[in-house]
Amino acid sequence: KRLPNTVGRTSEPVAQEGLLRGIVRGLEGRGSVKKPAGWDGVSAKLRKSSSGEIRSMIQQLDQVFGDAKAAERALARLKDKKAPAEERQMLLRTLVTQRNPNVKSILPQLLDEPELRVAAIRAFGAINDNQAPMVLLSRYEKFDSAAKRATIETLAMRKNYAEGLLEALKHQKLPKEDIPVHVARPLSNMLGSAFTDVFGDLDEMSK
């Protein structure tokens, strides 16, 4: 109860922003938290703030506190190409952390936006989508170096993803040189000789 009361009693935007930033940092990485008493009133008030930063943090906290309407607003805002890229990246991170089931269907379209691409690629690593290898590798050739690196690292995170990567290697749809040794080692541990037979001997490459 102290948390919403403190924020609610403060009328200065700078102070509100500082308090909210502290709360957001304290809850970072947590999927869902019980909403504190009195939060609805604070949220309703500060969603009308003239500060975009305050509105953004209120939206993020509403999601963490399990507000279903907040999740709907976040999904709509994430799809809005006119919204600031930084805000959309934050919304994506929060939705992924909360394991929102609707994120999966949005990720492919975000891959076509340069400012959201890497964040969307890494989001596939936090969810389990059997279509992820196909979705990512079908676009791989057109990705820049940062997006290619994120794709390789993401596909090395899960066995079903790694198997898709291996198939791309086998059919020469993915250059072996794009896989650094530090990523190849966990792939070798995950897939065994099926990987090294295609990729080559890792110990020899490390010499």
Side-chain angles (χ1 to χ4, degrees):
K1 191 171 182 178
R2 186 180 304 170
L3 181 150
N5 284 346
T6 302
V7 180
R9 285 198 303 266
T10 306
S11 58
E12 288 294 324
V14 174
Q16 291 170 340
E17 190 172 321
L19 288 167
L20 289 171
R21 186 171 288 109
I23 297 166
V24 168
R25 286 175 181 168
L27 297 175
E28 193 170 0
R30 297 179 64 176
S32 184
V33 177
K34 184 179 179 180
K35 179 169 61 179
W39 176 255
D40 287 341
V42 173
S43 172
K45 174 185 174 183
L46 294 185
R47 278 204 305 270
K48 300 174 184 177
S49 172
S50 60
S51 166
E53 184 71 17
I54 288 175
R55 295 196 304 271
S56 177
M57 286 189 286
I58 286 293
Q59 167 65 35
Q60 189 173 352
L61 288 170
D62 279 345
Q63 288 175 247
V64 172
F65 293 148
D67 186 332
K69 290 184 178 179
E72 292 174 9
R73 290 195 301 269
L75 288 164
R77 189 71 167 165
L78 179 58
K79 294 177 186 177
D80 184 359
K81 294 183 179 181
K82 295 180 181 179
E86 187 176 335
E87 179 186 351
R88 295 173 73 201
Q89 290 168 3
M90 180 275 292
L91 290 170
L92 176 58
R93 285 194 300 271
T94 305
L95 287 164
V96 169
T97 299
Q98 295 172 335
R99 303 185 185 279
N100 187 289
N102 297 307
V103 171
K104 187 184 295 187
S105 63
I106 299 173
L107 291 180
Q109 66 194 59
L110 299 182
L111 293 174
D112 297 326
E113 297 185 52
E115 292 180 317
L116 275 292
R117 183 173 294 143
V118 171
I121 292 169
R122 297 204 181 281
F124 275 111
I127 63 176
N128 192 3
D129 182 355
N130 288 327
Q131 297 301 309
M134 183 273 292
V135 170
L136 294 174
L137 292 169
S138 66
R139 294 167 168 80
Y140 185 84
E141 189 177 348
K142 296 180 180 179
F143 285 168
D144 63 17
S145 58
K148 285 182 176 180
R149 184 170 58 252
T151 297
I152 297 297
E153 292 172 351
T154 296
L155 293 179
M157 293 177 70
R158 296 174 180 272
K159 187 174 182 180
N160 56 330
Y161 288 8
E163 288 170 345
L165 184 151
L166 178 58
E167 284 302 308
L169 277 176
K170 284 180 179 178
H171 295 92
Q172 299 181 337
K173 294 180 179 179
L174 180 70
K176 184 173 71 172
E177 295 74 23
D178 284 7
I179 304 178
V181 173
H182 76 272
V183 176
R185 288 199 181 281
L187 285 169
S188 174
N189 293 337
M190 200 180 299
L191 301 174
S193 60
F195 177 75
T196 52
D197 286 349
V198 176
F199 186 79
D201 188 287
L202 294 177
D203 292 330
E204 284 296 321
M205 293 179 182
S206 300
K207 291 180 181 178

